[in-house]
Amino acid sequence: MGLSVASATARRLIDPLLAVVFPSACPACGRLLGHPGRGPLCEPCWATLPRHHAVACRCGLPLLPGRSTCGRCRRGRQPFAAGASLGPYEGALRVVLHELKYGGRRRAACPLADALLEEPAVRALVATSDVIVPVPLHPRRLRERGYNQSALLADAIARRVGRPACSDALVRRLDTAPQAGLSAAARRRNVRGAFAVRRKAFVAGRTVTLVDDVLTTGATALACARQLTEAGANEVRLLTVARVR
Ligand SMILES: [Zn+2]
Ligand SMILES: [Zn+2]
């Protein structure tokens, strides 16, 4: 506690100095950063992150006007009891997620967690969960990157709502090819059998919120949800920062 107050104070003093000595620009808009210590984006970009401005289905999918359920939920073809996300994978949200995942900007997980929890639907979703579980990386990728961006997000969210996170509840057994560039069917094949539950005791009989940075076709989230359900999760919910439209 004392330490974090001290480091916050130090940052407040050092930030303006950093801004002068090492001026750096916001990667989303190019403005010079007034507070480089606050993560990669400038204040206006943090304040205006792209957000979904639509009613969401119970699975979290933003709906077309006039709809109350998405096609998948109507057909009973998705395993999530609830879901939410912040916004579309565009603009400054795309930039900051890219910085978090590939740019080594681990601290970006904290303001992203803050932004997510500003949404009442997100807060309700996680505050009533028993455990928060990130989508895991394969150990080889974890070694290369040094961290799992989804685990950083899950931890930051869990701390803010006082719920436990369990970053090794799920493991990734197969180092699958990157999903980018694959069709929806190929993505489902690609992740088949890739995940397993390692910590059954954290999952069985619990309400589990699965956390990922970006949802594209949902194949990865679906594969994780299947394993969680098979391990006896009472309910699986899905929280992602962004969704590809
Ligand atoms: Zn900016
Ligand atoms: Zn739905």
Side-chain angles (χ1 to χ4, degrees):
M1 184 67 187
L3 245 186
S4 74
V5 169
S7 79
T9 308
R11 203 178 307 147
R12 254 199 314 281
L13 294 172
I14 291 166
D15 250 17
L17 285 174
L18 277 178
V20 174
V21 182
F22 302 107
S24 54
C26 169
C29 71
R31 275 190 203 99
L32 284 181
L33 297 177
H35 304 276
R38 274 218 55 198
L41 298 183
C42 69
E43 295 296 327
C45 281
W46 279 125
T48 58
L49 283 178
R51 291 180 189 245
H52 298 303
H53 295 289
V55 174
C57 179
R58 68 182 173 85
C59 69
L61 182 76
L63 293 166
L64 295 172
R67 297 275 171 85
S68 60
T69 322
C70 76
R72 271 187 175 173
C73 285
R74 263 202 310 279
R75 293 192 298 274
R77 291 198 28 205
Q78 63 85 18
F80 299 104
S85 72
L86 182 65
Y89 189 49
E90 294 168 5
L93 195 53
R94 187 188 177 117
V95 170
V96 68
L97 284 169
H98 200 271
E99 291 287 317
L100 172 66
K101 189 167 180 174
Y102 302 110
R105 308 298 293 261
R106 302 176 187 214
R107 276 229 300 271
C110 290
L112 280 171
D114 290 334
L116 271 166
L117 290 168
E118 280 166 19
E119 300 289 329
V122 173
R123 192 163 271 280
L125 187 98
V126 287
T128 56
S129 298
D130 294 318
V131 62
I132 300 171
V133 170
V135 169
L137 282 182
H138 187 270
R140 188 185 311 155
R141 257 168 233 278
L142 187 60
R143 275 198 303 277
E144 280 167 12
R145 195 174 297 161
Y147 59 95
N148 172 3
Q149 73 285 352
S150 298
L152 296 180
L153 288 164
D155 285 342
I157 292 162
R159 270 200 309 277
R160 283 159 174 74
V161 293
R163 309 308 299 164
C166 184
S167 61
D168 58 353
L170 281 167
V171 285
R172 194 165 192 141
R173 297 186 297 195
L174 302 178
D175 192 8
T176 55
Q179 297 279 71
L182 298 180
S183 71
R187 281 169 184 254
R188 282 195 297 276
R189 277 196 303 278
N190 194 34
V191 292
R192 193 169 293 158
F195 300 97
V197 169
R198 180 195 272 165
R199 302 270 204 154
K200 207 170 165 190
F202 278 84
V203 168
R206 303 280 185 91
T207 295
V208 180
T209 291
L210 180 70
V211 171
D212 206 358
D213 51 350
V214 184
L215 186 100
T216 308
T217 62
T220 297
L222 205 67
C224 291
R226 284 215 179 95
Q227 296 303 312
L228 293 168
T229 304
E230 233 169 73
N234 185 35
E235 187 176 310
V236 184
R237 301 171 175 182
L238 175 61
L239 178 61
T240 60
V241 179
R243 276 180 176 259
V244 174
R245 278 212 266 235

